[in-house]
């Protein structure tokens, strides 16, 4: 059969799936069975033996389902489509983005190991690495990885993971994934497989239709499905994608730590989220460009970061790295802008903007999260990145007067009008 393009693949999935025998349904029904009937003790034993076995031929043979926390058909179909979109051998889903991210560190690190991470990260990832992993004696050094050469000196014999987001949340800094992958590859030259350093990239901000880190040399991709992939703001979820060698470990981590994506949450992501992803992204990023241009011309705005603007500091890198599977530039749907003024004054101005939005705007909603069909606005310094104190925020490059916008599907004229009103009050 001819191989379909990703946009078609995300609508139809595998043309024929052994996961499922409701052969007359066009859309898979939403299952809700925690446990599965086994036809004999031998069949049950075979199911347990095959679960997470490194040699398992997932997707090739009819799976033996045992219990929801191990494996389940809707999640399995979602995982096939996610792997196809990321260009990965395999993908394993989790209850949330954070469940997926913590699973990666549990998979890669043991007591005494360390992690090198970029200084700017999603707030909860930062607190996972700085508050919880040290209890397991896994430490993290946060550093500025904008120059990959700097990574060379940061990798120690105990380093097991290099962890980055690109573009970063919320400042939309673009990191050179290929350059970082080169450094990691060199560091691994004389290492035994179990001691290798892995480059892990959080791909939540672009989605796989906006960037595929594995193609740039990353070992593992993590993402929150809650954002672009779910798209409508109705379901939490997370995923890890990468080479087959990681599949068994990820399944076992998920089984024992229990952060399983509920099949009822996997269903809308499979049925509504992925099939509409390409058109949502295209329409939303068109609006994002309009909004970014409006903000750039506004006298109260000191700076705007949007990869589609000519003024974007990492323009060439973004154009090479942030593309859809056909190679078109995908500047994305997130816009970051900073209010004018000294830190305290800019912080107040940003708070006034979002407070006005909360009270009076129609098309803008003051809320965290991103990648939804509704436009969401937030003030990172007092919200998503509040886990970092003022000093840590400065170290992470988060401006007191910075505002993050996740542009949705509303008419761009309404978005601009609402922003104009909000900025007038700043
Ligand atoms: C939201 C988000 C996460 C966490 O995802 P949840 O589904 O909320 O657990 C991780 N990384 C980034 C970049 C995010 O935006």
């Amino acid at each position: 059969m001819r191989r379909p393009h990703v946009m078609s693949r995300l609508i139809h999935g595998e043309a024929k799936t052994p996961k499922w025998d409701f052969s007359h349904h066009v859309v898979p029904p939403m299952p809700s069975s925690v446990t599965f009937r086994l036809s004999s003790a031998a069949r049950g034993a075979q199911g347990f033996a095959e679960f997470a076995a490194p040699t398992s031929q997932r997707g090739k043979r009819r799976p033996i389902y045992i219990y929801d926390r191990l494996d389940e058909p809707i999640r399995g179909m979602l995982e096939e489509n996610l792997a196809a979109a990321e260009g990965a051998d395999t993908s394993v889903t989790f209850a949330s983005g954070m469940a997926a991210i913590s699973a990666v560190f549990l998979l890669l690190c043991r007591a005494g190991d360390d992690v090198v991470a970029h200084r700017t990260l999603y707030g909860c990832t930062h607190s996972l690495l700085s508050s919880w992993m040290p209890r397991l004696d896994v430490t993290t050094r946060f550093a500025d990885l904008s120059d990959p050469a700097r990574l060379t000196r940061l990798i120690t014999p105990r380093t097991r993971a290099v962890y980055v987001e690109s573009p970063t949340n919320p400042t939309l800094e673009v990191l050179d994934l290929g350059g970082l992958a080169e450094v990691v590859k060199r560091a691994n030259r004389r290492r035994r497989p179990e001691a290798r350093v892995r480059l892990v990239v959080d791909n939540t901000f672009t989605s796989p239709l906006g960037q595929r880190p594995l193609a740039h040399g990353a070992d593992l991709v993590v993402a929150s499905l809650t954002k672009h992939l779910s798209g409508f703001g109705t379901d939490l979820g997370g995923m890890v994608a990468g080479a087959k060698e990681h599949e068994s470990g990820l399944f076992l981590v998920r089984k024992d730590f229990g952060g399983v994506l509920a099949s009822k949450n996997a269903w809308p992501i499979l049925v509504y989220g992925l099939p509409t992803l390409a058109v949502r992204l295209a329409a939303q990023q068109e609006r994002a460009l309009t909004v970014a241009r409006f903000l750039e011309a506004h006298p109260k705005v000191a700076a705007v970061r949007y990869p589609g603007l000519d003024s974007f500091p990492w323009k060439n890198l973004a154009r090479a790295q942030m593309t859809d599977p056909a190679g078109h530039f995908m500047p994305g749907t997130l816009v970051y802008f900073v209010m004018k003024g000294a830190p305290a004054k800019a912080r107040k101005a940003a708070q006034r903007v979002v407070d006005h939005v909360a009270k009076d705007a129609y098309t803008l909603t003051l809320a965290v999260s991103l990648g939804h069909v509704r436009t969401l606005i937030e003030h990172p310094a007092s919200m998503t990145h509040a886990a970092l104190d003022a000093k840590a925020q400065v170290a992470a490059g988060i401006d007191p007067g910075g505002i993050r916008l996740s542009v949705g599907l509303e008419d761009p004229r309404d978005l601009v009008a609402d922003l104009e009103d909000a900025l007038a009050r700043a």
Side-chain angles (χ1 to χ4, degrees):
M1 209 186 87
R2 191 161 37 82
R3 255 184 71 188
H5 293 98
V6 169
M7 199 166 162
S8 312
R9 177 69 165 78
L10 294 185
I11 297 168
H12 292 279
E14 292 283 338
K16 292 211 168 53
T17 174
K19 292 200 163 50
W20 176 264
D21 53 17
F22 301 91
S23 51
H24 296 287
H25 287 77
V26 171
V27 171
M30 192 191 289
S32 83
S33 186
V34 157
T35 192
F36 294 82
R37 193 188 301 276
L38 295 161
S39 48
S40 66
R43 186 97 174 129
Q46 191 189 345
F48 275 102
E50 283 178 6
F51 172 73
T55 52
S56 87
Q57 292 283 304
R58 257 186 113 203
K60 303 283 188 305
R61 293 180 39 197
R62 182 176 291 279
I64 301 172
Y65 294 116
I66 299 167
Y67 186 61
D68 190 333
R69 181 155 43 71
L70 275 57
D71 199 5
E72 185 282 328
I74 290 290
R75 225 163 41 221
M77 287 192 271
L78 176 62
E79 286 161 351
E80 284 172 355
N81 291 357
L82 291 167
E86 290 287 359
D89 294 345
T90 191
S91 138
V92 178
T93 56
F94 289 86
S96 67
M98 287 317 303
I101 292 166
S102 46
V104 163
F105 293 118
L106 291 167
L107 175 77
L108 299 179
C109 302
R110 289 166 195 261
D113 290 344
D114 69 61
V115 174
V116 179
H118 185 55
R119 60 181 192 143
T120 314
L121 289 183
Y122 179 68
C124 300
T125 309
H126 194 283
S127 59
L128 169 70
L129 289 171
S130 53
S131 307
W132 294 102
M133 295 310 290
R135 292 195 183 190
L136 308 178
D137 197 20
V138 173
T139 48
T140 298
R141 275 156 311 129
F142 296 96
D144 180 358
L145 299 182
S146 56
D147 176 6
R150 212 168 293 137
L151 178 61
T152 314
R153 277 171 286 125
L154 292 166
I155 292 176
T156 71
R158 296 314 301 256
T159 304
R160 294 292 174 270
V162 173
Y163 187 93
V164 302
E165 298 167 6
S166 180
T168 57
N169 180 6
T171 48
L172 302 183
E173 190 185 343
V174 174
L175 300 187
D176 178 359
L177 300 180
L180 294 170
E182 260 321 298
V183 174
V184 168
K185 209 167 119 194
R186 245 178 286 134
N188 281 334
R189 232 177 249 155
R190 275 180 295 276
R191 292 197 185 208
R192 288 166 292 116
E194 65 278 13
R196 274 187 200 140
V197 189
R198 311 289 184 169
L199 176 60
V200 185
V201 179
D202 181 334
N203 205 28
T204 302
F205 261 39
T206 60
S207 93
L209 296 191
Q211 172 174 278
R212 285 150 314 288
L214 298 175
H216 298 289
D219 296 288
L220 289 160
V221 180
V222 295
S224 167
L225 304 178
T226 316
K227 317 295 170 59
H228 290 293
L229 298 170
S230 161
F232 297 90
T234 55
D235 296 278
L236 278 173
M239 69 115 214
V240 183
K244 176 81 179 164
E245 65 176 299
H246 302 296
E247 182 182 87
S248 168
L250 288 166
F251 267 131
L252 293 172
V253 168
R254 186 175 74 178
K255 172 177 82 75
D256 293 344
F257 284 84
V260 181
L261 178 63
S263 59
K264 292 185 191 73
N265 294 19
W267 188 88
I269 304 173
L270 175 72
V271 174
Y272 302 137
L274 290 192
T276 57
L277 177 61
V279 288
R280 283 188 283 112
L281 281 181
Q284 285 172 233
Q285 73 181 10
E286 212 179 284
R287 287 153 177 74
L289 181 62
T290 305
V291 165
R293 286 193 174 134
F294 160 77
L295 289 169
E296 196 167 41
H298 199 282
K300 288 188 180 170
V301 173
V304 181
R305 280 216 186 132
Y306 179 65
L309 290 177
D310 280 337
S311 60
F312 188 65
W314 305 275
K315 195 171 69 181
N316 293 336
L317 184 57
R319 276 170 201 276
Q321 202 164 271
M322 298 168 69
T323 61
D324 71 9
H328 303 120
F329 179 38
M330 295 288 281
T333 66
L334 282 127
V335 180
Y336 179 71
F337 65 101
V338 183
M339 300 302 293
K340 270 190 186 157
K345 187 169 167 271
R347 186 186 174 95
K348 285 244 161 55
Q351 283 170 338
R352 277 197 301 273
V353 169
V354 299
D355 282 343
H356 170 76
V357 163
K359 245 177 65 225
D360 289 324
Y362 177 69
T363 58
L364 309 176
T365 304
L366 174 59
V368 300
S369 200
L370 57 101
H372 299 170
V373 292
R374 291 167 190 250
T375 296
L376 306 176
I377 190 169
E378 66 115 1
H379 180 226
S382 49
M383 298 165 66
T384 44
H385 294 69
L388 284 70
D389 62 26
K391 220 176 111 206
Q393 285 186 2
V394 172
I398 293 156
D399 306 270
I403 294 176
R404 189 186 78 185
L405 256 177
S406 166
V407 179
L409 273 180
E410 298 90 345
D411 189 307
R413 290 168 295 188
D414 294 329
L415 293 172
V416 164
D418 272 335
L419 279 169
E420 197 147 37
D421 285 350
L423 287 164
R425 315 294 167 87

